[in-house]
């Protein structure tokens, strides 16, 4: 028997806390941003925007008041192209009587972002508006320090990469691979749904090289070596996919990893999979990808103290633009990624919502990197597994259906698998000291991370 998925009603869990405390705040922040936006609007646009703001208030009250989860109306489904899986879930007899604080955590969280999106999609002058854009941009703006540090590192390395690969200096490349995997991993620590009140110092403290060094011991599972071996097997012709998570600093870190892989001739091309609607506050959409390159090149957005830093930012942005132009870096946004379906559905058996389609494409990749916490939750079905459950068991069909995968996750939720005997107890005990009654929340703190690989090939 499979364990149940986590519910928003599970007493004392981070999921329960998230639903009851964090979601109303996230919607309130969206209302505040909408009101700021409306100050510069007029006429019909302002009128429609005010209607959206009022409906956001209703949604906030619905959540805070633990209202029943209602199906999307026919009109909403049509106009906003809502996938029917949401209403199918709610119509299922197992989910009758679901309310915001008594339903599957994963489902309800994804449903909330869809409800928000529907408000914009049903107002013709606001269909493309990203309510989280202001926050995404301002946090990336605050990331100047970490952004410049990485750009300088990249620029210094860039010229040596060709040499390393023609000389087959695999030992050095392996060490660099580890470094760029860590950069991409800890890039996930900059998550706007958790960093709602972060200061510049907070952001600096999680983005630099020193921070990564300090955090090395916090990687409790590390399969980097296995991923390296998988890549070497397909050397030079390899394709690597990124199932992206957050825009801004994390996307920047992912682009660093992709550029490193391509320029060291380990990999031929990378495919980035983003989101088709604003999602989980900070997740990457196509326009965020374009905005990031423009931000890097914008001397007002990133004013630098010295010429070398400015050059480094320009070099990196130009490198990425060239990779895109040459077809070595591609961005896609399938609607599957913003449904509530977990990744056990990335399988030939899921024929309704693109699961089979994506599966048949992803098996062609030599490595599919799933970024971040939500992707880890979807890989494991967000179920209440014992924390020592083997990774291959928790990922279900993905253990055997031919996708070679790597999950890079800083831990920000209750679900956790793959730990050696005794480690959960040890870390829970340590976390309990400063967080009485909440020892098991070490897996939700963002302080620890896991790097989990699997291949059935
Ligand atoms: O728990 C915090 C949370 O909102 C989770 O619901 C979600 O899994 C995560 O943050 C988002 O984090 P990430 O951007 O790493 O997927
Ligand atoms: Mg995210």
């Amino acid at each position: 028997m499979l364990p149940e998925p986590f519910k928003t009603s599970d007493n004392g869990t981070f999921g329960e806390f998230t639903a009851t405390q964090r979601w109303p705040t996230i919607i309130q922040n969206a209302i505040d941003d909408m009101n700021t936006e409306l100050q510069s609007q007029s006429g019909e646009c302002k009128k429609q925007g005010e209607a959206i703001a009022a409906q956001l208030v209703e949604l906030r009250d619905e959540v805070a008041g633990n209202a029943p989860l209602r199906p999307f109306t026919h009109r909403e489904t049509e106009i906003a192209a809502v996938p029917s899986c949401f209403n199918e879930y709610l119509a299922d007899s197992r989910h009758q009587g679901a309310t915001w604080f008594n339903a599957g955590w994963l489902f309800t969280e994804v449903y909330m972002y869809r409800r928000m999106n529907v408000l914009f999609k049903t107002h013709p002058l606001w269909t493309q508006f990203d309510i989280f854009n202001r926050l995404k941009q301002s946090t990336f703006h605050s990331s100047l320090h970490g952004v410049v540090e990485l750009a300088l590192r990249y620029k210094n390395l860039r010229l040596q990469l060709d040499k390393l690969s023609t000389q087959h200096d695999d030992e050095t490349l392996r060490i660099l691979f580890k470094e760029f995997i860590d950069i991409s991993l800890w890039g996930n620590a900059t998550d706007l749904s958790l960093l709602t009140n972060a200061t510049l110092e907070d952001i600096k403290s999680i983005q630099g090289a020193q921070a990564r060094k300090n955090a090395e011991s916090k990687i409790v599972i590390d399969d980097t070596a296995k991923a390296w071996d998988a890549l070497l097997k397909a050397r030079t012709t390899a394709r690597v996919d990124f199932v992206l998570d957050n825009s801004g600093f994390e996307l920047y870190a992912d682009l660093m990893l992709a550029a490193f892989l391509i320029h060291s001739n380990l990999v031929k091309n990378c495919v980035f999979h983003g989101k088709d609607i604003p999602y989980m506050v900070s997740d990457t959409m196509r326009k965020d990808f374009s905005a990031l390159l423009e931000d890097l090149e914008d001397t007002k957005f990133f004013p630098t103290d010295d010429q070398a830093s400015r050059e480094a930012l320009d070099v990196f942005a130009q490198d990425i633009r060239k990779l895109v132009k040459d077809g070595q870096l591609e961005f896609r946004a399938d609607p599957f990624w913003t449904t509530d379906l977990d990744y056990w559905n990335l399988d030939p058996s899921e024929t309704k919502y693109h699961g089979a389609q994506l599966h048949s494409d992803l098996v062609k990749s030599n490595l599919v990197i799933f970024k971040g916490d939500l992707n880890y939750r979807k890989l494991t079905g967000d179920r209440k597994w014992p924390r020592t459950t083997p990774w291959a068991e928790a990922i279900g069909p993905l253990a055997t259906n031919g996708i070679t995968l790597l999950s890079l996750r800083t831990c920000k939720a209750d679900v956790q698998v793959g730990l050696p005997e005794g480690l959960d107890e040890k870390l829970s005990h340590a976390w309990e000291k400063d967080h009485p009654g909440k020892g098991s929340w070490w897996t939700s703190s963002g302080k620890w991370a896991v790097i989990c690989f699997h291949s059935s090939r």
Side-chain angles (χ1 to χ4, degrees):
M1 264 269 281
L2 283 178
E4 286 290 302
F6 279 98
K7 291 183 78 179
T8 52
S9 52
D10 289 329
N11 253 334
T13 59
F14 186 67
E16 179 199 47
F17 170 77
T18 291
T20 55
Q21 312 294 314
R22 294 176 53 232
W23 291 348
T25 310
I26 285 173
I27 303 177
Q28 183 58 51
N29 290 344
I31 295 166
D32 295 345
D33 275 356
M34 193 63 196
N35 288 331
T36 310
E37 182 65 29
L38 285 174
Q39 284 166 16
S40 57
Q41 299 294 343
S42 59
E44 178 59 19
C45 193
K46 183 163 185 148
K47 211 171 121 211
Q48 288 185 16
E50 283 168 350
I52 297 171
Q55 288 168 1
L56 280 169
V57 171
E58 282 171 25
L59 180 64
R60 179 202 62 199
D61 294 345
E62 222 185 273
V63 176
N66 189 21
L69 300 182
R70 68 155 174 87
F72 289 98
T73 64
H74 183 68
R75 179 176 171 270
E76 287 172 333
T77 306
E78 290 285 297
I79 301 180
V82 180
S84 48
C85 50
F86 290 99
N87 282 1
E88 282 165 8
Y89 179 101
L90 291 172
D92 188 316
S93 58
R94 288 170 302 173
H95 307 132
Q96 290 312 296
T99 65
W100 285 93
F101 302 154
N102 185 12
W105 175 17
L106 179 62
F107 173 82
T108 312
E109 192 152 43
V110 173
Y111 168 85
M112 178 178 88
Y113 288 99
R114 185 63 66 162
R115 286 283 305 273
M116 291 174 90
N117 182 247
V118 161
L119 300 183
F120 291 89
K121 286 269 161 51
T122 49
H123 290 85
L125 297 178
W126 290 84
T127 55
Q128 298 308 311
F129 186 74
D130 174 4
I131 183 64
F132 305 118
N133 193 55
R134 195 176 291 271
L135 187 57
K136 286 174 178 174
Q137 281 294 88
S138 75
T139 312
F140 192 45
H141 186 249
S142 312
S143 306
L144 174 66
H145 180 84
V147 167
V148 168
E149 188 184 285
L150 279 185
L152 288 168
R153 173 82 183 113
Y154 177 82
K155 184 163 164 265
N156 286 337
L157 209 61
R158 175 72 174 84
L159 298 171
Q160 299 165 45
L161 285 180
D162 263 343
K163 214 162 86 207
L164 289 173
S165 88
T166 40
Q167 290 171 349
H168 285 278
D169 186 349
D170 284 358
E171 187 45 25
T172 308
L173 285 176
R174 191 184 58 76
I175 293 167
L176 289 173
F177 177 69
K178 171 72 184 143
E179 178 182 342
F180 280 90
I181 285 284
D182 281 1
I183 287 171
S184 172
L185 168 72
W186 291 111
N188 179 245
T190 315
D191 166 9
L192 305 189
S193 74
L194 285 175
L195 283 179
T196 33
N197 297 313
T199 63
L200 199 56
E201 280 311 306
D202 292 336
I203 291 172
K204 265 193 204 170
S205 74
I206 52 177
Q207 288 182 343
Q210 189 57 40
R212 280 194 302 281
K213 197 153 166 261
N214 299 343
E216 196 55 35
S217 65
K218 296 287 171 65
I219 302 175
V220 292
I221 299 169
D222 188 353
D223 288 343
T224 308
K226 293 183 193 166
W228 170 251
D229 290 344
L231 271 192
L232 278 198
K233 274 194 214 155
R235 196 164 193 153
T236 69
T237 58
R239 160 179 161 187
V240 170
D241 286 56
F242 289 69
V243 180
L244 295 174
D245 187 4
N246 305 312
S247 64
F249 190 77
E250 180 169 1
L251 174 62
Y252 177 68
D254 297 338
L255 285 167
M256 283 276 158
L257 172 57
F260 160 75
L261 291 172
I262 295 173
H263 288 306
S264 57
N265 291 320
L266 285 163
V267 162
K268 183 140 185 290
N269 66 314
C270 291
V271 182
F272 276 25
H273 302 268
K275 307 299 193 298
D276 61 341
I277 62 167
Y279 185 71
M280 299 283 152
V281 184
S282 34
D283 280 22
T284 306
M285 300 167 67
R286 186 183 295 277
K287 56 100 183 149
D288 299 318
F289 182 82
S290 315
L292 181 135
L293 297 180
E294 280 160 28
D295 290 345
L296 290 178
E297 290 168 337
D298 182 347
T299 53
K300 289 205 193 74
F301 191 85
F302 281 141
T304 47
D305 300 335
D306 58 299
Q307 192 59 20
S309 301
R310 171 47 38 212
E311 266 174 35
L313 294 180
D314 289 342
V315 163
F316 183 69
Q318 280 154 21
D319 262 17
I320 297 298
R321 286 194 191 284
K322 182 152 187 336
L323 292 178
V324 174
K325 191 161 158 269
D326 296 346
Q328 285 183 281
L329 185 60
E330 200 187 316
F331 188 94
R332 299 182 193 164
D334 193 280
F336 174 86
W337 304 115
T338 55
T339 67
D340 61 300
L341 301 188
D342 66 36
Y343 297 161
W344 289 35
N345 292 288
L346 281 175
D347 190 72
S349 58
E350 198 298 295
T351 52
K352 230 174 138 183
Y353 300 104
H354 294 189
Q357 208 170 310
L358 282 168
H359 172 267
S360 71
D361 183 43
L362 293 177
V363 286
K364 294 183 203 140
S365 179
N366 299 90
L367 188 67
V368 183
I369 302 179
F370 289 87
K371 290 298 317 288
D373 189 75
L374 184 78
N375 279 330
Y376 183 92
R377 289 172 61 198
K378 286 190 165 185
L379 285 165
T380 57
D382 205 33
R383 292 176 184 275
K384 296 175 196 169
W385 302 104
R387 288 180 169 177
T388 51
T389 306
W391 174 237
E393 185 182 337
I395 58 177
L398 289 165
T400 49
N401 71 15
I403 297 177
T404 298
L405 63 93
L406 182 71
S407 164
L408 300 182
R409 173 217 193 192
T410 61
C411 308
K412 302 177 210 157
D414 301 287
V415 61
Q416 181 63 55
V417 298
L419 298 181
E421 283 297 337
L423 185 60
D424 182 41
E425 291 75 1
K426 188 175 147 207
L427 294 177
S428 295
H429 183 72
W431 194 248
E432 178 78 29
K433 281 192 190 134
D434 293 330
H435 306 86
K438 301 211 158 40
S440 69
W441 284 28
W442 69 267
T443 63
S444 303
S445 66
K447 304 269 183 252
W448 279 268
V450 293
I451 299 177
C452 304
F453 175 85
H454 186 82
S455 177
S456 51
R457 283 193 255 174

